[in-house]
């Protein structure tokens, strides 16, 4: 006699339907509409828009600064996660709570604060000016702003994985004669690398699309400090919806390809 196996989640078919409808309304349909609108152009017209020097300069700046910020947070965020997990010290809970501050703080407020801090007359920027270089209104300032808003992604993905690694494993390796560098390389790195790549990808994706915290400190000079999201807003202000959509499609495709490569690398690392 056949026995019917009940689904794990009651009403699975109904909840799956709601999930697909919600995902379609929020993500899939808007993205499809963007591609449909861009499809009104011929390939030559589309290529002329996305290959314009101003667009390519903004593309290089947006993805370059997002990559640098993700790399910086990949290093600093891992160190912060290590300190918060492995050590107990006064103020630890305060620092742990401050990690999430970029999530709660409006990005425009963060941009204004960073700009006031790093301008040539700011508290930090004046010392940089004395040394002969600028922070605000340069790609360096954009990288600092992106580093601020993307820091929690790396810390919060690495921190729980690091906390789950038993200390006994490291102690056993040390008892067997492994040096600290060998313990780090052969025990910690394999366990942390998938989570690190996830945090890196999230930080990079957030940095590429960041707008509010960057527009104030960037200076928004075309061909120098103009990011892609700002260029899209400029096109929209000029009622150039086709140009804005084309740049959005370019941004989406490049981001998707890069994130796909990172996910493939992560899957390859996780596969024994």
């Amino acid at each position: 006699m056949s026995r019917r196996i009940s689904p794990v989640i009651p009403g699975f078919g109904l909840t799956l339907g709601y999930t697909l409808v919600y995902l379609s309304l929020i993500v899939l349909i808007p993205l499809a509409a963007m591609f449909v609108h861009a499809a009104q152009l011929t390939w030559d017209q589309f290529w002329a828009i996305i290959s314009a020097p101003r667009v390519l300069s903004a593309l290089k700046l947006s993805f370059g600064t997002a990559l640098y910020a993700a790399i910086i947070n990949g290093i600093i965020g891992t160190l912060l996660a290590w300190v918060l997990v492995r050590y107990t010290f006064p103020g630890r809970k305060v620092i742990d709570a401050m990690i999430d501050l970029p999530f709660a703080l409006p990005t425009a407020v963060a941009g204004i604060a960073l700009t006031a801090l790093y301008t040539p007359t700011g508290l930090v920027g004046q010392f940089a000016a004395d040394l002969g270089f600028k922070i605000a209104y340069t790609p360096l300032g954009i990288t600092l702003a992106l580093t601020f808003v993307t820091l929690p992604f790396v810390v919060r993905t690495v921190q729980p994985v690091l906390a789950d690694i038993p200390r006994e494993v490291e102690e056993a390796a040390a008892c067997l004669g492994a040096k600290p560098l060998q313990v780090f390389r052969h025990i910690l790195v394999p366990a942390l690398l998938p989570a690190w790549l996830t945090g890196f990808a999230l930080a990079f994706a957030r940095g590429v699309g960041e707008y509010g915290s960057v527009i104030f400190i960037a200076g928004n000079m075309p061909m120098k400090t103009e990011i892609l999201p700002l260029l899209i807003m400029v096109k929209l202000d000029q009622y150039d919806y086709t140009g804005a959509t084309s740049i959005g499609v370019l941004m989406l495709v490049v981001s998707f390809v890069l994130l796909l490569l990172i996910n493939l690398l992560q899957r390859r690392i996780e596969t024994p």
Side-chain angles (χ1 to χ4, degrees):
M1 181 177 179
S2 61
R3 186 177 180 181
R4 182 179 179 183
I5 301 176
S6 60
V8 177
I9 303 176
F12 174 74
L14 182 61
T15 54
L16 178 61
Y18 278 126
T19 301
L20 293 177
V21 170
Y22 181 81
L23 182 64
S24 299
L25 292 175
I26 300 299
V27 179
L28 299 180
I29 294 178
L31 294 182
M34 185 170 62
F35 278 95
V36 170
H37 189 81
Q40 298 176 3
L41 299 172
T42 64
W43 172 252
D44 292 336
Q45 293 173 329
F46 178 77
W47 180 256
I49 293 175
I50 65 173
S51 62
R54 185 176 179 182
V55 175
L56 294 179
S57 176
L59 177 71
K60 180 181 179 181
L61 179 66
S62 293
F63 283 88
T65 52
L67 178 62
Y68 290 140
I71 293 174
I72 294 172
N73 280 332
I75 299 173
I76 303 300
T78 303
L79 293 177
L80 283 174
W82 178 273
V83 171
L84 292 174
V85 171
R86 293 301 177 91
Y87 301 101
T88 301
F89 53 90
R92 175 178 172 272
K93 292 185 178 180
V94 176
I95 296 177
D96 191 32
M98 290 177 61
I99 297 295
D100 295 325
L101 186 62
F103 284 153
L105 189 68
T107 55
V109 176
I112 294 174
L114 291 172
T115 304
L117 186 64
Y118 291 113
T119 54
T121 58
L123 183 62
V124 177
Q126 60 181 344
F127 296 105
D130 293 338
L131 295 175
F133 68 95
K134 294 173 57 178
I135 298 178
Y137 316 129
T138 65
L140 175 59
I142 298 174
T143 303
L144 288 175
L146 296 181
T147 302
F148 172 80
V149 299
T150 60
L151 175 63
F153 290 101
V154 177
V155 177
R156 293 312 184 204
T157 52
V158 172
Q159 188 175 3
V161 177
L162 185 60
D164 289 339
I165 299 177
R167 294 293 297 271
E168 292 80 4
V169 177
E170 302 174 43
E171 294 172 356
C175 291
L176 293 174
K179 297 180 180 179
L181 185 60
Q182 292 176 318
V183 174
F184 176 78
R185 179 181 177 183
H186 297 288
I187 295 178
L188 296 179
V189 170
L192 292 177
L193 190 55
W196 187 89
L197 285 175
T198 300
F200 176 86
L202 291 174
F204 175 75
R206 171 66 187 275
V208 168
E210 179 60 27
Y211 178 77
S213 64
V214 176
I215 55 173
F216 297 103
I217 199 172
N220 309 324
M221 294 178 287
M223 306 294 294
K224 293 183 178 180
T225 59
E226 185 178 50
I227 58 175
L228 268 181
L230 177 63
L231 184 56
I232 292 175
M233 292 300 300
V234 171
K235 295 289 185 181
L236 292 175
D237 290 339
Q238 297 173 349
Y239 300 101
D240 185 5
Y241 300 115
T242 303
T245 304
S246 301
I247 298 173
V249 169
L250 172 65
M251 197 172 180
L252 177 62
V253 171
V254 175
S255 300
F256 177 79
V257 171
L258 292 176
L259 292 178
L260 178 62
L261 293 176
I262 294 174
N263 288 331
L264 291 176
L265 178 61
Q266 180 182 11
R267 179 174 297 183
R268 183 175 181 180
I269 293 173
E270 292 177 344
T271 303

